[in-house]
Amino acid sequence: MKRLRHGIFFLAVLITGLGVSNSYHLQLLTFIGINTLLALGLNMLMGYAGQISLGHAAFYGLGAYISGVLTATMNWSPWLALPTAVLVTALIAFLVALPMLKLTGYYLGMGTLGFGMITYIIFRQWADVTGGASGLVGIPSLAVGPLSLASGKSCFFLVWGAVLISFLLCERLVDSRVGRALRAIHDGEHVAAAMGIDTSRIKVGVFVLSAVLAALAGFLYAHLVSFISPNSFDFLVSIRLVTMVVIGGMASIWGSLLGASLLTLLPEWLHVFTDYEMVVYGSILMAIMIFLPQGLTCGLLDFYERTATASRRLAAPARPAAASQKPGVENQESIG
């Protein structure tokens, strides 16, 4: 079944990439892929491990800025900057996770929010390196030899290839012993620890994994747009990522794709509400939490199962009353 889903997903990406020729639509689909990477990493942390993060945009920005600075100001190759950005971000995430994940609940959320705000301030104030509020320009586009990956179909396939690989890795992780440990921590950390699970190591590991996926998304974003600024990684971006995870479905890898798609397309549909972006996001989040608390993916699947069950019951022929009598009862009555 999983191979079938992966095959359908691969064919859908291939057909979409080959069939869509409009450059604007291709760019929009590419941004959906980048946001899917972000939502996937955050879903592994929040949905499966149950660890709240309100500053995930910080790792997104670290991946973008580290790669951008290395390539734009130090003339590094982007393909050499990629592992550097990912490793440095992973190291920072590891150092942050060690003290941060000792917190729980709202305190963890406030701690990650503080880290995100500090990172945003560094991006904005360290003007000699990051370009400050004006942003960092001159980030080179990606290329493989003579083949440019700057935009269009080549960039689309690069981003969605990274999404597909990330999906496969995360699904294997979820189905492994580590994935079962993550769900146990989500359901009850103290119970999981009593069962012998090294909760601290597992939580730090998934925190680093989510940061690595965010750094990869940041790398792709920086070299796609060739310009980054602190506003691309502020608090609103972190809230938007949390909304993607909640709307798509917590603890649902495919829900990350659905949530990222909806929240990327929504601003395109609601230009008139640009000044009320937070209100719109908050309203959608409230509606999902009230009517579909498991998210759209699980909610729609549950609705489909209930509808199918009701249809089968209506289609099943009613048994006649005589069939429900025990055999021989009618004969005994006639004999009597």
Side-chain angles (χ1 to χ4, degrees), residues 13-14 16-17 26 29-30 151-161:
V13 170
L14 183 63
T16 302
L26 279 173
L29 291 168
T30 302
S151 60
K153 297 181 185 294
S154 56
C155 187
F156 171 86
F157 284 119
L158 173 66
V159 171
W160 281 98

Side-chain angles (χ1 to χ4, degrees), residues 240 262-272 274 277 281:
R240 189 181 298 123
L262 289 177
L263 266 295
T264 305
L265 294 173
L266 191 63
E268 304 298 321
W269 298 335
L270 302 175
H271 287 295
V272 69
T274 302
E277 189 174 9
Y281 287 152

Side-chain angles (χ1 to χ4, degrees), residues 266-296:
L266 191 63
E268 304 298 321
W269 298 335
L270 302 175
H271 287 295
V272 69
F273 297 108
T274 302
D275 296 333
Y276 305 98
E277 189 174 9
M278 287 294 289
V279 176
V280 173
Y281 287 152
S283 301
I284 294 173
L285 191 58
M286 287 175 59
I288 292 295
M289 294 301 293
I290 293 172
F291 298 106
L292 294 172
Q294 293 180 321
L296 284 177

